[in-house]
Amino acid sequence: MPAETASVTGWGRTAPSVARLIRPRTYEEAVAAVRECGARGGIPRGLGRAYGDAAQNAGGAVFDMTGLDRVHAIDADGGTVLCGAGVSLHRLMEVLLPLGWFVPVTPGTRYVTVGGAIGADIHGKNHHGSGSFSRHVLALELLTADGTVQTVRPGTDLFDATAGGMGLTGVILTATLQLQPVQTSLMSVDTERAADLDDLMARLTAGDDRYRYSVAWIDLLARGAATGRAVLTRGDHAPLDALPAGSRARRDPLAFRPGRLPAAPRHLPGGLLTRRSVGAFNELWYRRAPRLRRDELQSIAAFFHPLDGVPHWNRIYGRGGFVQYQFVVEYGQEDALRRIVDRIAARRCPSFLAVLKRFGDADPGWLSFPRPGWTLALDVPAALPGLGAFLDELDERVAAAGGRVYLAKDSRLRPELLAAMYPRLDDFRALRAELDPRGVFVSDLARRLSL
Amino acid sequence: MKDAFGLPQSLLVLGGTSEIALATARRLVARRTRTVWLAGRPSPALDEAARELRAHGADVRTVAFDALDPDTHEEVLGKVFAEGDIDLVLLAFGVLGDQAHDEREPSAAVRVARTNYIGAVSAGLVAARALQTQGHGSLVVLSSVAGERARRANFIYGSSKAGLDAFAQGLGDALQGTGVHVMVVRPGFVRTRMTAGLPEAPLATTPEAVATAIELGLRRRSETVWVPGVLRLVMSALRHVPRGVFRRLPV
Ligand SMILES: Cc1cc2nc3c(=O)[nH]c(=O)nc-3n(C[C@H](O)[C@H](O)[C@H](O)COP(=O)(O)OP(=O)(O)OC[C@H]3O[C@@H](n4cnc5c(N)ncnc54)[C@H](O)[C@@H]3O)c2cc1C
Ligand SMILES: NC(=O)c1ccc[n+]([C@@H]2O[C@H](COP(=O)([O-])OP(=O)(O)OC[C@H]3O[C@@H](n4cnc5c(N)ncnc54)[C@H](OP(=O)(O)O)[C@@H]3O)[C@@H](O)[C@H]2O)c1
């Protein structure tokens, strides 16, 4: 099976480490890879879209799961699919949309694998109504440390440890997913502007129930009275009768043809994203947005995955890479959220297009990130002076408000804060100690945070 | 593991009482470092250094290490790495010697060379291999501007640092693609006990300034760090000064 020694990073391109990259193409090869992974263990990896060090394992093995890329079975009536864990959500959309089905949850990029979606228990713009990805998983096959494969179903400890378990319970080989029916491949979108953070929170709180999908892009460089100004985009899959009669879209309502621009060049200098350039971008983008617009038809790519249009866009941060910071604080902690947004705005972090969203009920995964409350995600260049200490300060505020940061995005959390943020951490560690006593599954993230 | 900013969680100092190393350790402990190994010749000063870092909240252990005894390096450092990953190895030991005395007494000069160069070659290679097995980590080597161009006034020390510097650069090249990062730090005159009593050179700096530069270098994954930074320019000019003139410069 193909194997090479490679330097591996997450999407943020910070903290590289070297591992043996092994790409199993069959179950047998995956079993062999786990059995033979050696003293420094192994960790599964999907498409490497986690921002930090979740899918890397210094000095050990990294199992590149994208070789298990088969869609095994589709139930076009019941709306389920059984597929390899290395299948991307992009591929699933290509296969399923023509049949009138959509993935139950999509993150801000289609280029994640089903294994990665379960491993991080990802959420989408529909979390307030639909929950996280693993709530739509009917079953999965897990290759555990002893080299055996077992079927794992929701409602069991092993399932709840694996959903959001960051690859540390074993390698997911396949998953069966419950899908979302759609009549068209277009989205019907309402856009509105919010003048400041309070206006934004009020609008999201008042309107979210009416929309399946909801998110706000927030301008964290705006200060003073405009602090927290934002553009809300909310919508649902467009029904067939929303498409103009006689239009091309109406004739082929389930077509899925996302375009892609050329990739960002490989070697870009750092420092392109300055306060000034990002500020100008945010300003333009806020002004361009309509104050209010209803029922606009947008493509799936435009609504869910605007960044996927530019492959390797993470290179614009240059060699130093970038950090994504995402946290959630529960409802009732609006003051903490306000203070954090104020701090970020005052600090003038060159962060473009931060995202604010309301989560629904917490998900069963022991280390799943979402809980009912407000989640904010922002990108910052890692080279920004003093960023480490600044984010530490935000962590303290988040923890003090009973919130948590998202492990799939993390690359720098102070380990001491983890247990307070994830109360089921001890259960997770205990289950791992029993399931994997020799510590076969380990990642740089797991070492850094003692998961 | 190091975080996105290159901050280590575990640190091994070779030359555990070095003032520059301890200033660096204090700084790193204030950020992410929780485990510190101080390797050095057993002494009350070594124990005191450990106590002080513990007071800053780190879990500190000392281990007997003598740069002049390379045959033991494998075993001593092997034990440290066996206890867990080391994110940062700071190679800080070194002796200045006494140029006038050492010129008269070659065996003393040899001691300088054996400590600063041979000791570092041995410990550097042992540490590099262990880091390579981990697939990650940084080796930070305290070289010196004195090694950039040997001066009449301290060419014994200077030549040992020149050898160390060349060694560390080559090691860094050899370790490309292994996940191990080698950073050569070239301070100018630093006010520590090593330089106590000597006339201060221009651009003199402090251990804390070296520590700050090391933290920044780790974040940037720099290969060479000068402290203060302007020395890079100064030395690139001095490198090209003709021998006859350089010999008579009061530096
Ligand atoms: C532009 C962008 C937008 C994003 N938007 C969102 C968002 O809206 N919501 C959200 O939740 N996340 C979001 N993310 C994060 C992303 O969805 C997650 O990090 C996801 O886990 C990435 O999947 P991947 O296949 O790339 O996995 P990787 O990044 O390769 O791995 C992620 C984790 O999953 C584990 N894993 C991977 N494959 C398997 C397997 N077969 N078995 C077991 N474990 C496995 C890995 O060990 C690792 O811990 C976004 C990322 C980007 C780059
Ligand atoms: N100070 C400066 O101006 C300056 C400038 C440029 C570079 N440097 C370099 O920076 C490094 C640290 O210097 P410093 O200023 O911090 O001086 P320092 O406080 O005198 O530290 C020197 C360290 O080297 C150790 N050491 C000496 N011989 C040893 C041996 N045989 N085995 C083990 N350890 C030994 C000493 O340990 P003991 O306690 O056992 O003696 C001490 O810990 C040195 O390599 C030095 O050359 C210093």
Side-chain angles (χ1 to χ4, degrees):
Chain A
M1 107 192 77
E4 53 164 336
T5 298
S7 177
V8 183
T9 72
W11 190 246
R13 307 211 305 162
T14 53
S17 68
V18 166
R20 259 174 315 116
L21 204 54
I22 302 168
R23 191 162 185 270
R25 289 156 305 191
T26 62
Y27 288 19
E28 292 71 29
E29 287 189 349
V31 171
V34 167
R35 287 225 164 107
E36 293 155 18
C37 68
R40 288 188 67 86
I43 193 76
R45 180 179 176 91
L47 282 163
R49 259 39 175 206
Y51 282 77
D53 47 7
Q56 52 194 77
N57 175 24
V62 170
F63 312 123
D64 171 356
M65 299 310 295
T66 58
L68 297 188
D69 60 354
R70 304 244 316 267
V71 177
H72 297 290
I74 300 173
D75 173 355
D77 300 322
T80 64
V81 61
L82 166 63
C83 65
V87 173
S88 71
L89 296 194
H90 174 80
R91 180 74 193 132
L92 282 184
M93 288 175 207
E94 284 180 336
V95 172
L96 297 171
L97 272 166
L99 304 174
W101 296 100
F102 191 59
V103 295
V105 167
T106 177
T109 169
R110 299 184 297 282
Y111 297 98
V112 301
T113 64
V114 167
I118 300 170
D121 197 11
I122 63 170
H123 55 270
K125 297 182 182 188
N126 55 349
H127 188 277
H128 59 288
S130 308
S132 66
F133 193 88
S134 52
R135 288 229 231 155
H136 308 271
V137 174
L138 302 174
L140 55 85
E141 284 179 289
L142 188 70
L143 164 57
T144 46
D146 56 6
T148 65
V149 178
Q150 42 187 304
T151 302
V152 186
R153 291 183 205 285
T156 60
D157 280 357
L158 188 51
F159 188 93
D160 292 345
T162 301
M166 306 310 289
L168 294 166
T169 58
V171 180
I172 300 165
L173 298 174
T174 65
T176 308
L177 311 177
Q178 178 67 55
L179 303 167
Q180 165 71 36
V182 294
Q183 293 179 5
T184 75
S185 63
L186 290 176
M187 306 301 298
S188 171
V189 182
D190 290 356
T191 305
E192 58 192 283
R193 279 203 233 164
D196 59 38
L197 186 61
D198 284 337
D199 184 25
L200 171 61
M201 289 196 282
R203 284 170 191 262
L204 286 171
T205 306
D208 266 8
D209 291 347
R210 295 199 304 276
Y211 298 96
R212 183 186 301 277
Y213 300 102
S214 162
V215 79
W217 303 93
I218 169 168
D219 177 4
L220 289 176
L221 276 168
R223 282 186 295 179
T227 303
R229 70 177 176 184
V231 177
L232 293 76
T233 54
R234 298 187 284 187
D236 200 345
H237 300 281
L240 192 58
D241 58 21
L243 309 192
S247 67
R248 184 169 152 213
R250 185 69 178 253
R251 281 196 302 278
D252 189 5
L254 290 164
F256 179 60
R257 301 184 206 89
R260 291 195 100 180
L261 299 169
R266 198 171 280 279
H267 299 290
L268 283 173
L272 288 179
L273 297 184
T274 61
R275 230 158 257 166
R276 187 183 293 253
S277 66
V278 174
F281 175 87
N282 285 1
E283 177 76 30
L284 184 74
W285 157 91
Y286 178 79
R287 298 274 159 227
R288 226 193 49 188
R291 253 172 237 292
L292 184 65
R293 180 173 58 203
R294 293 210 181 279
D295 302 324
E296 184 197 6
L297 290 176
Q298 286 186 5
S299 70
I300 280 172
F303 182 69
F304 289 110
H305 317 119
L307 289 167
D308 282 350
V310 184
H312 299 295
W313 60 263
N314 53 344
R315 289 178 185 157
I316 61 173
Y317 287 90
R319 208 175 83 96
F322 68 110
V323 170
Q324 173 154 107
Y325 189 67
Q326 181 170 6
F327 66 89
V328 58
V329 290
E330 290 200 16
Y331 297 123
Q333 295 291 345
E334 285 74 16
D335 279 346
L337 176 67
R338 260 184 222 110
R339 266 197 297 276
I340 291 173
V341 168
D342 281 344
R343 286 289 294 137
I344 298 170
R347 183 74 180 33
R348 316 280 294 141
C349 289
S351 154
F352 74 134
L353 298 191
V355 170
L356 185 75
K357 157 148 197 74
R358 291 173 69 248
F359 276 151
D361 292 343
D363 305 293
W366 290 349
L367 298 188
S368 290
F369 167 65
R371 49 176 24 189
W374 300 95
T375 182
L376 180 71
L378 55 139
D379 290 344
V380 196
L384 194 72
L387 181 61
F390 179 66
L391 294 180
D392 285 354
E393 180 206 315
L394 297 193
D395 287 343
E396 298 293 341
R397 289 174 188 270
V398 168
R404 54 170 63 145
V405 300
Y406 189 9
L407 295 180
K409 309 281 178 86
D410 181 57
S411 57
R412 32 73 41 205
L413 178 68
R414 200 156 64 77
E416 288 85 349
L417 285 176
L418 191 70
M421 292 182 169
Y422 288 91
R424 302 290 310 258
L425 184 63
D426 283 342
D427 295 326
F428 183 76
R429 285 179 176 148
L431 180 136
R432 282 233 300 148
E434 196 171 317
L435 187 69
D436 181 7
R438 288 184 303 122
V440 169
F441 293 107
V442 62
S443 62
D444 288 359
L445 173 82
R447 285 195 179 92
R448 184 166 57 79
L449 296 178
S450 310
L451 281 177
Chain B
M1 293 302 307
K2 279 199 274 183
D3 71 4
F5 308 113
L7 290 173
Q9 292 181 312
S10 52
L11 166 68
L12 165 60
V13 177
L14 303 177
T17 59
S18 146
E19 286 186 47
I20 294 176
L22 291 174
T24 307
R26 273 193 295 275
R27 201 177 165 91
L28 295 174
V29 167
R31 302 291 294 118
R32 285 291 186 274
T33 304
R34 294 296 172 267
T35 305
V36 181
W37 290 89
L38 296 180
R41 295 180 291 197
S43 69
L46 190 63
D47 296 335
E48 177 51 34
R51 247 194 314 276
E52 199 225 306
L53 287 177
R54 267 181 216 121
H56 283 83
D59 171 16
V60 187
R61 274 179 282 183
T62 59
V63 52
F65 166 85
D66 186 348
L68 286 168
D69 195 0
D71 289 346
T72 61
H73 290 179
E74 193 102 39
E75 193 197 328
V76 170
L77 301 186
K79 280 198 187 126
V80 172
F81 277 90
E83 299 266 330
D85 282 14
I86 300 291
D87 301 335
L88 174 62
V89 178
L90 178 55
L91 197 157
F93 59 79
V95 287
L96 188 55
D98 174 344
Q99 176 75 28
H101 168 265
D102 296 352
E103 281 180 34
R104 288 193 305 276
E105 203 172 308
S107 67
V110 165
R111 221 178 141 77
V112 173
R114 281 179 54 211
T115 307
N116 294 356
Y117 179 64
I118 295 181
V121 167
S122 162
L125 286 173
V126 172
R129 176 153 8 106
L131 293 174
Q132 202 178 336
T133 307
Q134 287 179 178
H136 74 101
S138 291
L139 173 62
V140 173
V141 176
L142 292 185
S143 174
S144 167
V145 286
E148 187 67 7
R149 190 168 182 185
R151 289 181 291 121
R152 168 66 193 94
N154 73 347
F155 65 85
I156 295 174
Y157 173 79
S159 65
S160 73
K161 286 293 187 186
L164 166 67
D165 198 290
F167 166 77
Q169 287 182 56
L171 186 61
D173 291 340
L175 291 173
Q176 281 296 310
T178 65
V180 182
H181 159 230
V182 178
M183 183 164 97
V184 178
V185 181
R186 296 184 188 137
F189 186 105
V190 188
R191 292 180 204 107
T192 67
R193 66 188 152 131
M194 180 178 271
T195 53
L198 298 178
E200 215 167 85
L203 301 173
T205 184
T206 61
E208 288 71 30
V210 182
T212 306
I214 288 174
E215 187 185 335
L216 182 66
L218 289 172
R219 194 175 79 202
R220 295 185 174 158
R221 295 181 70 78
S222 306
E223 296 184 313
T224 319
V225 169
W226 298 81
V227 199
V230 296
L231 279 174
R232 181 191 297 272
L233 294 174
V234 173
M235 291 314 293
S236 80
L238 276 183
R239 214 169 13 236
H240 300 289
V241 172
R243 275 283 284 285
V245 179
F246 186 73
R247 203 175 290 151
R248 272 171 273 127
L249 283 183
V251 288

